[in-house]
Amino acid sequence: MIKPLNIVFAAVLTMTCTGTACATQSMGNPYRFYDPLLWAHLVVRGEVLSITEAPSTSAEWGIRVGGQPYRITVETVVVRVSEVLKGQYVGGELPVAVFSGRHYPQPNPIKVGDEVVLAVKLNGATHRYLLENYSGLLTRRGTEWQHPDPGTYTYMADKRALSWPEVEERVASMSAQNISEQADIIVSGTLRSVSNDHEDQTTTASWKMSVDSVLKGNPPPGIEFSMAWKGKLPAWAVPIPMQASPGQKWLVFLRRSDDKYVPFAGLNGMLREDGERLIYDDSVEYPLSRKEVSSIVESANRAHHE
């Protein structure tokens, strides 16, 4: 009997904690989990053309706090996109929703005419792009890109202003090319079982997968791993997809850390396979096909051996 590979994952189920972080080279960096530049569905640069607002409800956006729907104001920020740093967007103007109201007391710091970087997620209930909080916002000030004032916007952990090359490098650190080069093993496998365990103030979900094909490395044919997703979490925690069921196929990028393998790329390195399509963060189509990712991995492997 072949001993399963020991792989440990970690994540938190929350939409209210985000902020900036350093690139993936520092696996213990406490800011990584809170950096929308790493985990957003779409990251764009552009100029703010207009801001309008309209009443809405939490139920419309699939938000549940205390079980009761509440009223919110949705501000629509329209940005003329000059560059897409992550994801796919076809069209010159991008409307992004920003919440305000009783449950969102911080005033919108975005102004018409600002040159901004927005790290946004596609809301599953409305299919609109949403700036979950202002840690996904960078505004150009001279040669620097800055987050909103830290005294007002409290979700950010790393408030350092960034140069444009630093912004590009941070987003690119989670590209398929970079994580293919950094991974020790990359496998495509079938999820066989999922179970949950509650112990020592930590909730973990355990997966068992069979390896169907190997794109990089020498893993065993069976893989087991646990995901700590609530309670006490390790410092290297990264967001991961939380909807999984037996029979699904997953493409997973892993790196060795001590005696374990960890999904250092989080959401970016855990992709559900749907034929040639790859699904990111449970519901968003990855900008590359399965074939395209395989080609990138092959290229990274060749470069490693040259």
Side-chain angles (χ1 to χ4, degrees):
M1 180 176 178
I2 299 177
K3 185 178 179 181
L5 187 66
N6 187 16
I7 302 175
V8 179
F9 291 176
V12 175
L13 282 180
T14 177
M15 291 180 62
T16 58
C17 294
T18 52
T20 58
C22 297
T24 58
Q25 283 75 8
S26 177
M27 293 187 64
N29 191 311
Y31 300 147
R32 292 184 63 231
F33 189 90
Y34 307 111
D35 190 348
L37 293 179
L38 301 180
W39 317 117
H41 299 161
L42 180 69
V43 182
V44 300
R45 174 179 178 174
E47 178 188 357
V48 178
L49 298 180
S50 65
I51 302 174
T52 58
E53 65 177 46
S56 185
T57 66
S58 59
E60 180 181 351
W61 290 82
I63 301 170
R64 296 175 178 84
V65 178
Q68 296 295 323
Y70 51 87
R71 295 180 179 179
I72 58 176
T73 298
V74 177
E75 297 187 9
T76 299
V77 178
V78 177
V79 175
R80 180 190 292 118
V81 177
S82 58
E83 185 174 353
V84 177
L85 287 82
K86 180 182 179 181
Q88 291 187 89
Y89 187 74
V90 179
E93 297 181 3
L94 172 69
V96 173
V98 181
F99 293 158
S100 60
R102 182 168 60 89
H103 290 267
Y104 303 89
Q106 300 169 337
N108 184 353
I110 304 173
K111 307 299 181 186
V112 172
D114 281 351
E115 187 175 5
V116 297
V117 169
L118 295 177
V120 298
K121 287 196 171 185
L122 189 65
N123 179 266
T126 62
H127 300 288
R128 292 179 59 187
Y129 283 105
L130 171 65
L131 182 66
E132 291 185 339
N133 60 62
Y134 298 125
S135 53
L137 165 67
L138 288 167
T139 303
R140 184 176 183 178
R141 296 289 183 261
T143 60
E144 293 185 329
W145 294 81
Q146 300 178 345
H147 287 287
D149 176 63
T152 305
Y153 305 97
T154 57
Y155 292 137
M156 283 70 74
D158 179 4
K159 291 298 301 178
R160 184 173 59 91
L162 303 175
S163 67
W164 181 247
E166 287 177 313
V167 174
E168 293 181 305
E169 181 180 3
R170 187 170 292 187
V171 177
S173 70
M174 286 298 180
S175 69
Q177 179 69 38
N178 275 343
I179 67 174
S180 294
E181 293 171 355
Q182 295 173 37
D184 294 316
I185 65 170
I186 304 172
V187 301
S188 172
T190 301
L191 184 58
R192 296 304 182 189
S193 67
V194 182
S195 60
N196 286 282
D197 181 56
H198 309 275
E199 184 178 355
D200 191 27
Q201 302 182 49
T202 301
T203 302
T204 61
S206 298
W207 288 15
K208 292 183 179 181
M209 289 180 61
S210 59
V211 175
D212 301 324
S213 61
V214 178
L215 284 73
K216 182 178 182 180
N218 297 289
I223 294 177
E224 296 183 13
F225 53 84
S226 297
M227 300 177 290
W229 60 269
K230 186 177 181 180
K232 292 182 179 179
L233 296 168
W236 45 261
V238 291
I240 61 172
M242 298 305 297
Q243 298 177 16
S245 58
Q248 292 176 337
K249 294 197 66 172
W250 290 81
L251 182 63
V252 183
F253 296 67
L254 305 164
R255 183 194 288 168
R256 179 178 288 280
S257 176
D258 298 326
D259 61 339
K260 303 178 179 67
Y261 280 90
V262 296
F264 66 100
L267 294 170
N268 304 284
M270 295 184 68
L271 304 170
R272 181 168 57 83
E273 299 185 44
D274 180 14
E276 268 300 300
R277 298 167 66 239
L278 295 173
I279 307 302
Y280 173 83
D281 194 15
D282 296 319
S283 60
V284 178
E285 185 170 354
Y286 194 65
L288 301 173
S289 68
R290 173 69 164 78
K291 183 177 181 180
E292 288 171 324
V293 171
S294 296
S295 178
I296 289 172
V297 175
E298 291 175 5
S299 176
N301 289 341
R302 286 195 301 269
H304 177 73
H305 292 294
E306 289 179 355

